[in-house]
Amino acid sequence: MTKFYGEFSKVWLSVDCIIFGFDEGKLKILIGRRKMDPGRGEWSLYGGFVASDESVDDAATRTLYDLTGLRNLYMRQVGAFGNVDRDPGERVVSVAYYALINVKDYDDELRREHGVEWIDINEIPQLYSDHNEMVNKARKMMQQKLANEPVGFRLLPSLFTLTQLQKLYEAVNGEELDKRNFRKRIKEMDFIEKTELIDKTSSKRGAHLYRFNKRVYNEDPTFKL
Amino acid sequence: MTKFYGEFSKVWLSVDCIIFGFDEGKLKILIGRRKMDPGRGEWSLYGGFVASDESVDDAATRTLYDLTGLRNLYMRQVGAFGNVDRDPGERVVSVAYYALINVKDYDDELRREHGVEWIDINEIPQLYSDHNEMVNKARKMMQQKLANEPVGFRLLPSLFTLTQLQKLYEAVNGEELDKRNFRKRIKEMDFIEKTELIDKTSSKRGAHLYRFNKRVYNEDPTFKL
DNA sequence: TCAAAAGTGTTAGATTTACACCCATGA
DNA sequence: TCATGGGTGTAAATCTAACACTTTTGA
């Protein structure tokens, strides 16, 4: 097994997940109290180790599924974090990933079983090891991504109001947007379809529900927001 | 040594470098024929293994120094590449980095000793393992970076003409720019200083040499190009 | 009847793009 | 003298940003 590179040393490889959700008008991530040593009890991202028979991406997918029970999540690599002493116990290099989920899709029972909570991205406490760094980089990458591709729908129910969508963009970018300018831009995007359905949960008058049409998007790749 | 994570398997960790240079009006990278098994003789990025007492970033810095003899290079992580079979011999996960160097700073003798060549980014042959993927991702990230920060100077001599600078941007973006519009934008950037020096190597009339003033740039962080 | 969110256009300013000729010099 | 790359400004078009009132309805 060591025929080629035996002279070099090996490391443990883990994955850590920054799971973004949008709830109560706020951008949040899932964190919990670490259940293993070292660092037991500290706030931490959810993670896992890479097994010998799976790719690093697959390990992240598996870890996400393990935590959320959800498949086909939008997921992107944040990068490798490899300081020598980043793990107080051993040499562990970790590859961080961020994922976008619709909070409503995540069974709250399952969430509690794993002991993770949705925490406002602006109120993240000190986390285990270098996890704050991972969160910061993930957040920047996600912002950048959202500015160039319509990935925000991954954080919303399949039917959503324009107000919800606007609040989402505001939460991600950390700044308020002009309602009329926002709606003007949305109207130009053919892949955001207005339905005849009305949502009455957040206003007496009711707001039209919209949906993202992936097919139209793929045919007409001219997105900028 | 295995007190915490002994039950999990370890992997070899390597770094691979995409080294960008700008020469003859073209964006190029350094590649060479692989000198070790498996894959001996195939075109490949230059890389190395991460040692037990160095961070992954440090391993990349060391590898870059080893190849070029240069320190303080502009370097950014591209990401981790971790498919199970990416290395035909063993399980090796690699973290790719890109770096920007001024071709003139690289001793050609040293380059030949390492058996690497400058190859036009648009004419990269099939590379060992997943190295083409790494190059493609690095190129996109570098383009993106150059569009938002003045890192292009890292690819030029400390004194350069506006034509050189324009050709650099054209090579990176793969499209021609309007000379007057380009110079108009440059003129607005106070951190690009005109010197009284004239370069006569590329025209009879001679062109003014400019330099990047890092101090001015740091004080006036309003860059967009 | 009123509070609360939904919905809707216009205009000024800023930014971006297109475009063509003269200059200085060495060969 | 001429070929070569260096250097310069203006106008149209596009994009962005600022801004306020009417509608609907349940309580």
Side-chain angles (χ1 to χ4, degrees), chain B residues 43-56:
Chain B
W43 282 106
S44 166
L45 294 170
Y46 191 81
F49 282 88
V50 177
S52 59
D53 61 346
E54 64 181 355
S55 71
V56 180

Side-chain angles (χ1 to χ4, degrees), chain B residues 86-100:
Chain B
R86 59 174 296 283
D87 187 288
E90 300 286 350
R91 181 75 201 268
V92 182
V93 171
S94 189
V95 181
Y97 287 79
Y98 75 84
L100 308 180

Side-chain angles (χ1 to χ4, degrees), chain A residues 212-224:
Chain A
F212 174 68
N213 185 324
K214 192 169 183 172
R215 182 166 304 169
V216 175
Y217 174 68
N218 288 334
E219 286 166 1
D220 167 27
T222 334
F223 187 82
K224 278 286 128 62

Side-chain angles (χ1 to χ4, degrees), chain A residues 1-13 34 36-38 49-58 77-84 87-93 95 97 128 137 144 148, chain B residues 1-13 34 36-38 49-58 77-84 87-93 95 97 128 137 144 148:
Chain A
M1 272 317 225
T2 59
K3 62 188 153 161
F4 295 120
Y5 313 125
E7 66 207 273
F8 302 103
S9 72
K10 298 171 92 170
V11 302
W12 275 288
L13 198 61
R34 189 169 156 93
M36 71 196 295
D37 282 316
F49 282 87
V50 178
S52 59
D53 61 346
E54 65 182 353
S55 71
V56 180
D57 286 356
D58 286 347
Q77 190 189 116
V78 174
F81 290 75
N83 282 346
V84 175
D87 186 288
E90 301 285 352
R91 182 76 201 265
V92 182
V93 170
V95 181
Y97 287 79
Y128 173 72
K137 188 168 177 195
Q144 183 70 32
N148 292 300
Chain B
M1 272 317 225
T2 60
K3 62 188 153 163
F4 295 120
Y5 312 127
E7 66 206 274
F8 303 103
S9 70
K10 298 170 91 171
V11 302
W12 276 288
L13 198 60
R34 189 169 157 92
M36 71 195 297
D37 282 316
F49 282 88
V50 177
S52 59
D53 61 346
E54 64 181 355
S55 71
V56 180
D57 286 355
D58 286 346
Q77 191 190 114
V78 174
F81 291 75
N83 282 346
V84 175
D87 187 288
E90 300 286 350
R91 181 75 201 268
V92 182
V93 171
V95 181
Y97 287 79
Y128 173 71
K137 189 169 176 195
Q144 183 70 31
N148 292 301

Side-chain angles (χ1 to χ4, degrees), chain B residues 166-193:
Chain B
Q166 181 176 346
K167 294 286 176 223
L168 166 61
Y169 274 86
E170 289 175 340
V172 171
N173 297 319
E175 59 183 22
E176 302 206 338
L177 297 171
D178 179 273
K179 183 163 57 159
R180 278 178 291 189
N181 291 337
F182 181 79
R183 287 170 183 238
K184 210 184 310 170
R185 274 145 79 199
I186 298 297
K187 221 169 266 169
E188 287 163 3
M189 300 175 196
D190 294 338
F191 52 83
I192 302 185
E193 294 178 339

Side-chain angles (χ1 to χ4, degrees), chain A residues 86-142:
Chain A
R86 59 173 295 283
D87 186 288
E90 301 285 352
R91 182 76 201 265
V92 182
V93 170
S94 188
V95 181
Y97 287 79
Y98 74 85
L100 308 180
I101 81 173
N102 169 17
V103 170
K104 300 281 159 52
D105 288 345
Y106 187 14
D107 182 51
D108 216 55
E109 181 64 30
L110 187 57
R111 181 185 66 68
R112 263 180 279 114
E113 277 172 25
H114 279 100
V116 292
E117 297 175 33
W118 288 110
I119 306 289
D120 187 326
I121 192 71
N122 297 310
E123 294 167 10
I124 304 297
Q126 191 181 1
L127 303 176
Y128 173 72
S129 184
D130 51 7
H131 288 193
N132 289 92
E133 255 184 87
M134 293 177 177
V135 170
N136 292 337
K137 188 168 177 195
R139 189 183 185 186
K140 277 186 201 130
M141 288 178 72
M142 200 272 267

